[in-house]
Amino acid sequence: MQEHILNQVYNMPEVHTVIIDFSGVTHVRDQSEELLQGLYQSLKLLGISTMLTGVTPILAQKLVTNSTRIQLDRIYSTLKMAVRVLIEENE
């Protein structure tokens, strides 16, 4: 998945931000943090910012309990909030 995202973004120079949406996700594997951080770092090297959305209270609690450190540019509770911010920034 990471390779596909990176190739798609690289071939679309008009893309400035990638939204990673966790809506509906209730379980996160231990490897997920590493994969997410790898994607973030790779996108950063391409000059792409990232937004994480859809983090529910249950998922947030699990991530904190597992001591997961998520480093992304911006985090929003809903996809709608993130899209609204992007629209406002581009007006």
Side-chain angles (χ1 to χ4, degrees):
M1 183 172 89
Q2 180 176 342
E3 184 177 340
H4 177 73
I5 291 170
L6 294 173
N7 285 330
Q8 291 298 314
V9 168
Y10 182 76
N11 291 316
M12 295 185 211
E14 66 277 3
V15 173
H16 302 98
T17 303
V18 169
I19 299 174
I20 302 168
D21 184 34
F22 272 68
S23 295
V25 175
T26 57
H27 178 71
V28 178
R29 294 182 181 169
D30 293 337
Q31 305 150 326
S32 298
E33 177 186 356
E34 292 175 22
L35 295 172
L36 189 58
Q37 287 305 318
L39 178 59
Y40 168 76
Q41 293 296 331
S42 297
L43 288 167
K44 198 70 159 173
L45 288 171
L46 293 175
I48 306 296
S49 66
T50 55
M51 292 179 153
L52 177 65
T53 65
V55 177
T56 63
I58 293 171
L59 181 58
Q61 187 69 34
K62 286 182 181 180
L63 292 172
V64 169
T65 301
N66 293 340
S67 300
T68 301
R69 293 182 181 184
I70 297 178
Q71 178 187 355
L72 296 168
D73 296 320
R74 296 183 268 182
I75 301 174
Y76 296 94
S77 58
T78 66
L79 179 59
K80 182 178 180 179
M81 291 172 69
V83 170
R84 186 179 311 147
V85 167
L86 288 174
I87 290 170
E88 289 171 0
E89 290 177 353
N90 289 305
E91 286 183 340

